[in-house]
Amino acid sequence: MTQTQIEAFISESAEFTPESCIGFTITSGYAHFKKVGNNSAKPTYRIPPRTTVAGLLAGILGYDRDTYYDLFQPDNSAVSVVPLNNPHTVSVSTTTVNTKADEAIKYIPPDVHYTKGVKALTPESYVELDRQRDPYEMLVDPKYRIYVSLAAEDVETELFERLSESRYHYSPSLGLSECLAEINDVERHSLTEADDEPIEVDSTVCELEGSTVVPKPGVTVCRERSPLYMEATDGGGRRTTTFGNVTYALERDRALTVKGQLAYDTGRHVVSFS
């Protein structure tokens, strides 16, 4: 889809109300969703931020970095995450190096053919830059059910086909590229608006103005403030435009009770979109 087509979808979709969605289950041995504002120590969100889900889907579709943000704005997309387990965390220390193209470490001298790379490794060829040892907080065996609806029907159709056929442009991962993920149980779902008040919601809830998560006995309510939407900048980078309070129940067999917020029944879960 061209930039002109993307802008046309945005102008035509003042408000986006999903009528159907794609649902799929994603899991991995480990996951890490780096919290904003932390550098040396790297804690993780428990729930993949909406921006992370957008990046995951864009990678499956083959979009380059900083080219897909307009497809996942609130007026033309809807995303919901249902945590299917409560993963514990471990701390993993990782030695990192700078991989910026014009500063990357030269492992192989320029006069040595790449097929001889193993023999070419010498201290002089790989210690040009200092290493940094960082502790990562990793989620162990995370599992989520993700629901997504897009106003761009041709993009949503391609996404469904790629998910169903495991035909990914970039391999899916949960946060870090090393946390390769498995996607299965891909389905299309019709959506029925839930009209109960209050509503029992299986998914996370991005609390909106006027909405309230009602505490209940036996349900541990957790909240994370995470990025929701991004935009590309003129300098070739990106920036977060909106953060939100994402609330979820710690116990996987318990639902959140919510007042003043739309929710939809997918046939498998009752979800709140953001």
Side-chain angles (χ1 to χ4, degrees):
M1 177 177 287
T2 66
Q3 184 64 29
T4 301
Q5 290 173 311
I6 292 174
E7 291 174 353
F9 273 114
I10 294 173
S11 62
E12 293 172 2
S13 304
E15 293 184 4
F16 179 64
T17 302
E19 297 180 356
S20 63
C21 68
I22 299 170
F24 62 92
T25 301
I26 184 167
T27 186
S28 179
Y30 294 92
H32 175 83
F33 312 113
K34 182 177 178 292
K35 285 189 175 181
V36 175
N38 292 271
N39 291 318
S40 56
K42 294 179 168 55
T44 181
Y45 295 108
R46 266 47 175 185
I47 306 298
R50 193 185 195 277
T51 52
T52 299
V53 175
L56 166 72
L57 301 176
I60 290 172
L61 289 165
Y63 285 89
D64 292 331
R65 180 187 173 98
D66 302 331
T67 64
Y68 60 86
Y69 305 133
D70 290 342
L71 283 172
F72 293 94
Q73 292 302 308
D75 52 8
N76 52 25
S77 65
V79 174
S80 183
V81 178
V82 179
L84 298 180
N85 65 359
N86 181 25
H88 67 278
T89 62
V90 296
S91 180
V92 177
S93 293
T94 304
T95 300
T96 57
V97 296
N98 191 341
T99 57
K100 187 177 178 181
D102 57 353
E103 298 177 1
I105 292 176
K106 311 287 192 301
Y107 284 97
I108 303 174
D111 57 340
V112 176
H113 194 266
Y114 74 92
T115 58
K116 307 298 182 183
V118 175
K119 296 181 180 179
L121 290 176
T122 64
E124 292 77 13
S125 68
Y126 66 77
V127 294
E128 296 178 15
L129 295 176
D130 292 335
R131 270 87 167 143
Q132 179 173 323
R133 193 162 181 82
D134 295 318
Y136 284 79
E137 183 185 31
M138 307 293 292
L139 301 174
V140 181
D141 294 328
K143 188 175 184 180
Y144 307 97
R145 180 78 179 171
I146 294 177
Y147 296 95
V148 58
S149 181
L150 300 175
E153 294 181 4
D154 55 339
V155 178
E156 184 177 292
T157 298
E158 181 184 356
L159 176 63
F160 179 75
E161 291 173 352
R162 286 183 174 272
L163 289 169
S164 301
E165 300 167 6
S166 299
R167 182 169 51 87
Y168 316 128
H169 189 93
Y170 295 106
S171 298
S173 62
L174 283 177
L176 296 177
S177 59
E178 295 86 351
C179 301
L180 294 177
E182 178 182 349
I183 292 176
N184 50 50
D185 202 7
V186 181
E187 294 181 332
R188 281 195 178 276
H189 298 272
S190 297
L191 297 175
T192 304
E193 186 174 326
D195 54 5
D196 296 333
E197 182 68 21
I199 304 170
E200 299 290 318
V201 176
D202 301 304
S203 68
T204 64
V205 173
C206 183
E207 295 180 55
L208 305 175
E209 184 177 353
S211 67
T212 304
V213 174
V214 181
K216 291 182 63 176
V219 180
T220 306
V221 177
C222 301
R223 178 178 292 160
E224 299 178 335
R225 185 164 181 80
S226 63
L228 299 178
Y229 312 111
M230 304 187 76
E231 66 179 8
T233 59
D234 293 337
R238 59 183 180 178
R239 65 182 169 212
T240 301
T241 58
T242 306
F243 285 83
N245 292 323
V246 177
T247 305
Y248 61 98
L250 189 63
E251 297 83 8
R252 291 283 61 83
D253 59 342
R254 303 296 177 88
L256 289 176
T257 303
V258 185
K259 288 184 177 180
Q261 188 151 330
L262 281 177
Y264 296 86
D265 191 343
T266 69
R268 293 181 60 163
H269 298 102
V270 177
V271 301
S272 173
F273 285 106
S274 61

